[in-house]
Amino acid sequence: MSDGRDLLLRYAGEFADVVIERAEGSWVRTTDGRRILDFTSGQMCATLGHSHPAILAAMQDAGSRMIHLYSGFIGTDVLALAKELMAVLPPALSRAMFLSTGGEANEAALRLAKLHTGGHEVLAFTGSWHGMTAGAASSTYSAGHRGYGPALAGSMVLPTPNAYRCPIRHCRDRCDLACLDVGFELADAQSTGAPAAVIAEPLLSVGGIVPLPPGYLAQLRRHCDARGMLLILDEAQTGLGRVGRMFAFERDGVVPDVLTLSKTLGGGLPLAATITSAEIEQDAFDKGFLHFTSHVSDPLPAAIGRAVLQTVVDERLAERAAALGERLRLGLEELRARHEPVGDVRGAGLMLGVELVQDRDSRVPDPVFGTAVTERCLELGLNVNIVKFPALGSVLRLAPPLTVSEPDLDLGLEILDRALSDAAASGGSRRLAARRA
Ligand SMILES: Cc1ncc(COP(=O)(O)O)c(C=O)c1O
């Protein structure tokens, strides 16, 4: 008999072959009693782990005071969250609005940039993911363009600066930023003279766990400034400690004109923020900026965001992500030494990628092997994603909660080790069977 999944609209291929009844800390439990270690932190949101006590307490407390308000009213938790975020951000980022999802926060950022600059041209990475609403989707090039009609006019790509797979076949294992300069030359050639913004993830996630090379952000900033474009950084996944710092942009000391936060800010509940300077906010306000949604400035999610931020600060989770990330990286490097298909290990903090290739010389991606590894991991009790859009490689994404225990981290590595061996063995016997047939 059907378990009811035939009643659901499938929004991203088939669902995983499990039904979950509980999620707690770094673990989820299935209806048939299996425990699965969650190295995706839900959909990269549950950085504190599932159902952290601080989030539960905030839900209880805030919910008993107010859940939702007329969008023109501002509640106390919204004011407090804005203040508390500003305390961990550079002074230039001093005006925030609170929304529900990452797509919405980027939509607001793009609308702000268009109104402020008067332009409409937006550049984004070939490996980007900024959301599924129309503006954000127009700047999402990793997937989802084909079949949905025209993107917004003025949408253009910048090559993803992946040193392992140089987009302009120019560098190998380093990036001299030529792809960035070439990207802008191409954009300049296409421009109708209406530049608005570049939107970028400081460490691309869906694009294959690609940290921006050293010096890239500073050069990107110069290109934006030269053209009067705003720099929007999307820290949906990297913000709030994940990469071993509070924000990924801190590594380079380059402050964006607009910062968007989502996923990690709500710790698993829908909360997002679009944050900019006083000058841009005032100019947009003077021009009649409009971005009204049913849940803008909702008080309950704001209270959750406060609890998440406070926990990240109080429990020094950014430092923890740096230390545990180093432990995980060393473990993955050790797997690379023993498993031929592991071509590259990269990332920052507790956001690491393992690139799987057919052979290390050609670096041809191996999505079939990658899928076999993730399926075997799930059977053995570990949830890891694979990023395998064509041209972006075949990359396992490891991002456990920042609260993960050391034994659970090591257990995840052990399972991955076994899954790599098992998938290679079954792939080998399949190849043998195919040869004999
Ligand atoms: C970097 C980044 N930005 C934005 C989004 C979109 O966020 P949401 O799905 O909450 O709209 C995602 C989602 O995966 C993302 O990874």
Side-chain angles (χ1 to χ4, degrees), residues 167-191:
I168 57 169
R169 316 290 186 266
H170 165 69
C171 299
R172 193 169 164 100
D173 298 325
R174 64 187 184 90
C175 175
D176 66 5
L177 313 187
C179 58
L180 174 57
D181 298 341
V182 168
F184 269 94
E185 276 172 29
L186 297 178
D188 287 344
Q190 296 170 81
S191 176

Side-chain angles (χ1 to χ4, degrees), residues 327-400:
R327 186 184 179 105
L328 184 59
R329 180 196 292 274
L330 288 175
L332 295 173
E333 285 294 354
E334 202 268 320
L335 295 186
R336 187 161 97 98
R338 287 189 291 107
H339 295 276
E340 192 58 26
V342 176
D344 196 25
V345 172
R346 54 180 182 256
L350 278 174
M351 186 166 168
L352 296 177
V354 172
E355 171 125 22
L356 299 173
V357 291
Q358 289 181 17
D359 75 82
R360 290 187 183 182
D361 241 12
S362 72
R363 300 186 174 184
V364 173
D366 200 341
V368 174
F369 180 67
T371 303
V373 173
T374 55
E375 285 172 357
R376 185 66 185 134
C377 279
L378 194 56
E379 284 167 10
L380 294 170
L382 176 69
N383 180 35
V384 288
N385 293 147
I386 180 163
V387 176
K388 55 173 181 185
F389 297 115
L392 303 178
S394 171
V395 184
L396 301 177
R397 179 171 64 183
L398 287 94

Side-chain angles (χ1 to χ4, degrees), residues 3 49 56 89 114 121 134 145 187 193 206 209 225 237 255 262 266 322 404 407:
D3 64 359
L56 297 182
L89 282 166
K114 288 173 185 174
E121 290 166 359
H145 263 236
V206 174
I209 307 293
D225 291 347
Q237 300 200 13
V255 179
S262 51
V404 67

